[in-house]
Amino acid sequence: MKKAFITGIGGQDGSYLAEYLLNNNYEVHGLIRRHSVAENQDSRINKITKNINTYYGDLLDYPSLVRIINTVQPDEIYNLGAMSHVRISFDMPSFTIQTNALGVLNMLETYRTLCPEAKFYQASSSEMFGNSVDEDGVQRLSTPMNPVSPYGCAKVMGYNLVRHYRHAYGLHACNGILFNHESPRRGSNFVTNKVVKGAVAIKKGLQDKLELGNMDSYRDWGHSKDYVRAMHMILNHNTPEEFIVATGETHSVIDLCEVVFSKLGMDYKDYIVQNPKFMRPEELKYLKGDPSKAREILGWQPEYTFETMLEEMIDHWQQEL
């Protein structure tokens, strides 16, 4: 039985990945950050806590990483832990850089010194490209990386550290450049779940308006379940490489609102209010990934469409609210 260690196991991707690996007969271990409200630590994994092993620690606390990795001796490491909210990274730039860049360095050093035969996956991000787009309107591995947020800048450093450690020390360390991916488990301050939850709340008469920021940004949105399958495929490819995981389709925030509100029998224009506080100091306007390498080499295909993903999220909030 293979042993997997997941940082960020309590997050959207970490929780889906833990379930996926359990279903594939893995022994699953994960890093948990302490919260003052204990329920916030494991709300996404509370249904599987009896089947996994969790440990208190932090990407910035090197001794805790050494203690845990030395104890677990994993075969596979998935570094999904991060300060994951791009807009908030402008408010917390120092913490974001430390967690998303130096945290990767701490993980790589722990991995290199304690279990160098393991395989290492780094959760890289489409935010690394910033507003760089190829002439055909697509971002691919050869597209220049010009990030436009502290989050994106930190992710570029983490990405390059992984490549450096692979080449310098002969490690099986790889990057998955994942474009936006959502689900009912997405935090409700991320625009997709904010729109879905807000629309359902309006439909139920629980609120009157929904405040959003930039309505004209375009994103390539997929489902987290599809993307954690890709993570496993990338890590277990015979050679450690970089892959882009995306749908190859892009939609604006306006498109998102139109689909969600129309499925609930409403017109989004009657309820959306723009609030400057949700705007980024520097906007990332357009993302559309080229997943051809992952499809051709790994055989990865998404099972969800943009609409079926949103339908699942709508169903979730209709039951929860």
Side-chain angles (χ1 to χ4, degrees):
M1 180 179 285
K2 288 184 178 180
K3 290 189 286 187
F5 178 68
I6 305 169
T7 68
I9 195 171
Q12 170 188 244
D13 293 356
S15 62
Y16 281 124
L17 178 61
E19 291 175 0
Y20 179 81
L21 294 176
L22 286 172
N23 289 336
N24 284 274
N25 298 314
Y26 276 72
E27 181 182 312
V28 178
H29 302 257
L31 182 71
I32 294 286
R33 294 182 69 222
R34 183 212 171 252
H35 290 256
S36 58
V37 180
E39 291 77 10
N40 290 344
Q41 296 168 171
D42 60 5
S43 60
R44 294 183 178 98
I45 56 173
N46 55 20
K47 292 181 180 178
I48 59 170
T49 48
K50 65 180 182 297
N51 299 317
I52 61 178
N53 305 279
T54 58
Y55 310 83
Y56 283 119
D58 193 285
L59 293 176
L60 299 181
D61 184 38
Y62 186 71
S64 71
L65 299 179
V66 170
R67 169 179 55 83
I68 297 165
I69 295 296
N70 193 46
T71 298
V72 175
Q73 287 294 311
D75 301 295
E76 298 178 3
I77 298 171
Y78 296 86
N79 188 38
L80 312 186
M83 205 307 285
S84 61
H85 199 288
V86 179
R87 170 62 191 86
I88 296 175
S89 77
F90 288 95
D91 301 330
M92 305 172 64
S94 179
F95 176 75
T96 301
I97 298 296
Q98 291 179 65
T99 304
N100 295 4
L102 298 181
V104 178
L105 178 64
N106 287 341
M107 283 299 302
L108 287 168
E109 272 296 297
T110 308
Y111 159 46
R112 179 178 74 86
T113 55
L114 296 177
C115 55
E117 298 304 312
K119 297 178 179 179
F120 185 96
Y121 172 89
Q122 168 62 19
S124 292
S125 169
S126 57
E127 291 279 339
M128 299 188 305
F129 294 115
N131 287 316
S132 292
V133 185
D134 291 352
E135 289 184 359
D136 60 355
V138 176
Q139 283 116 347
R140 43 182 59 89
L141 290 173
S142 58
T143 305
M145 293 181 178
N146 295 303
V148 292
S149 66
Y151 174 89
C153 292
K155 282 291 186 178
V156 170
M157 181 175 177
Y159 172 85
N160 285 324
L161 282 168
V162 169
R163 289 166 56 86
H164 164 61
Y165 269 67
R166 179 171 77 227
H167 298 145
Y169 304 111
L171 301 172
H172 190 106
C174 51
N175 285 288
I177 303 177
L178 273 56
F179 279 62
N180 298 66
H181 47 288
E182 317 299 322
S183 75
R185 297 183 187 177
R186 185 58 131 163
S188 58
N189 61 344
F190 288 80
V191 69
T192 46
N193 228 5
K194 182 177 181 179
V195 168
V196 175
K197 182 181 180 182
V200 172
I202 290 169
K203 182 69 174 180
K204 288 176 174 280
L206 301 175
Q207 67 185 63
D208 299 320
K209 299 291 181 182
L210 176 62
E211 294 186 347
L212 298 176
N214 183 12
M215 301 286 290
D216 298 316
S217 59
Y218 283 76
R219 296 292 184 269
D220 183 330
W221 278 301
H223 196 294
S224 177
K225 284 185 181 178
D226 287 329
Y227 286 37
V228 300
R229 283 194 296 108
M231 294 177 191
H232 185 251
M233 290 178 174
I234 292 168
L235 186 75
N236 285 282
H237 184 50
N238 53 10
T239 57
E241 301 177 32
E242 279 65 58
F243 288 86
I244 282 178
V245 183
T247 68
E249 299 179 4
T250 189
H251 301 271
S252 69
V253 176
I254 290 176
D255 296 336
L256 168 68
C257 293
E258 283 184 332
V259 171
V260 172
F261 277 81
S262 65
K263 285 183 180 295
L264 292 166
M266 299 183 292
D267 185 342
Y268 80 94
K269 296 175 184 176
D270 296 331
Y271 304 100
I272 299 295
V273 177
Q274 279 194 296
N275 188 328
K277 78 175 183 179
F278 297 120
M279 304 290 282
R280 301 180 185 182
E282 186 176 7
E283 289 288 347
L284 195 164
K285 302 172 185 176
Y286 180 94
L287 290 174
K288 181 180 179 180
D290 174 14
S292 58
K293 181 181 176 182
R295 296 190 184 210
E296 293 165 8
I297 294 179
L298 303 177
W300 175 80
Q301 291 282 352
E303 296 177 357
Y304 282 84
T305 66
F306 181 64
E307 292 212 352
T308 58
M309 175 189 74
L310 292 176
E311 287 168 359
E312 182 181 276
M313 294 168 71
I314 290 169
D315 289 342
H316 168 79
W317 287 112
Q318 285 179 322
Q319 295 174 35
E320 288 292 315
L321 292 179

